[in-house]
């Protein structure tokens, strides 16, 4: 899917009118319509503003990622834990998941 198609899909799915978005982004309705229809190239400033407005990544808009959401920010300790988790066998991972579920249930009882 092309950039303008992704942008148009997001705009349509959100039920935001082109006029409303054009006012927000400080461009004319006709200009934004041309971006959304692929008749004009979207300037990178508008692309970034569009991604921020709809809380999607620019990678998603460009079709480089299928998940539109920002990746989780993880600390150094969390990253190390994730790396260790990935080195475990599937059975060991299942045990960890069961332990985490148990601990979460314990926290809910408090």
């Amino acid at each position: 899917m092309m950039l303008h198609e992704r942008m148009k899909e997001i705009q349509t799915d959100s039920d935001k009118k082109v006029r409303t978005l054009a006012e927000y982004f400080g461009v004319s309705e006709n200009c934004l319509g041309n971006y959304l229809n692929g008749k004009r190239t979207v300037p990178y400033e508008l692309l970034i503003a569009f991604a921020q407005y709809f809380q999607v990544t620019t990678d998603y808009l460009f079709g480089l990622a299928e998940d539109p959401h920002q990746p989780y920010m993880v600390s150094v300790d969390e990253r190390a834990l994730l790396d260790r988790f990935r080195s475990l066998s599937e059975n060991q991972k299942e045990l960890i998941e069961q332990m985490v579920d148990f601990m979460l249930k314990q926290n809910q009882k408090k």
Side-chain angles (χ1 to χ4, degrees):
M1 187 178 290
M2 303 287 289
L3 170 66
H4 70 276
E5 293 170 324
R6 280 260 161 116
M7 291 177 69
K8 181 68 176 172
E9 179 179 72
I10 291 169
Q11 177 263 320
T12 303
D13 289 350
S14 72
D15 291 328
K16 294 284 184 181
K17 295 184 185 220
V18 174
R19 177 181 301 170
T20 303
L21 292 174
E23 289 174 12
Y24 180 84
F25 295 126
V27 297
S28 72
E29 187 176 348
N30 187 46
C31 182
L32 184 59
N34 284 335
Y35 295 146
L36 296 175
N37 292 320
K39 294 179 182 173
R40 293 187 63 196
T41 302
V42 182
Y44 76 91
E45 297 92 350
L46 181 71
L47 176 67
I48 292 168
F50 189 93
Q52 290 172 336
Y53 181 87
F54 286 105
Q55 298 180 339
V56 298
T57 65
T58 53
D59 280 355
Y60 176 75
L61 293 176
F62 280 116
L64 300 174
E66 288 304 314
D67 184 358
H69 303 99
Q70 295 286 344
Y72 287 109
M73 299 300 292
V74 295
S75 69
V76 172
D77 291 338
E78 291 168 328
R79 179 62 193 198
L81 185 60
L82 179 60
D83 288 341
R84 292 170 62 196
F85 180 80
R86 287 180 175 168
S87 70
L88 299 175
S89 71
E90 290 304 313
N91 287 340
Q92 292 169 324
K93 289 177 184 178
E94 286 179 27
L95 285 172
I96 297 291
E97 290 173 5
Q98 290 170 6
M99 288 174 36
V100 169
D101 288 342
F102 175 78
M103 289 185 270
L104 290 172
K105 287 178 185 172
Q106 291 296 315
N107 288 345
Q108 291 175 351
K109 292 179 182 179
K110 292 181 181 182

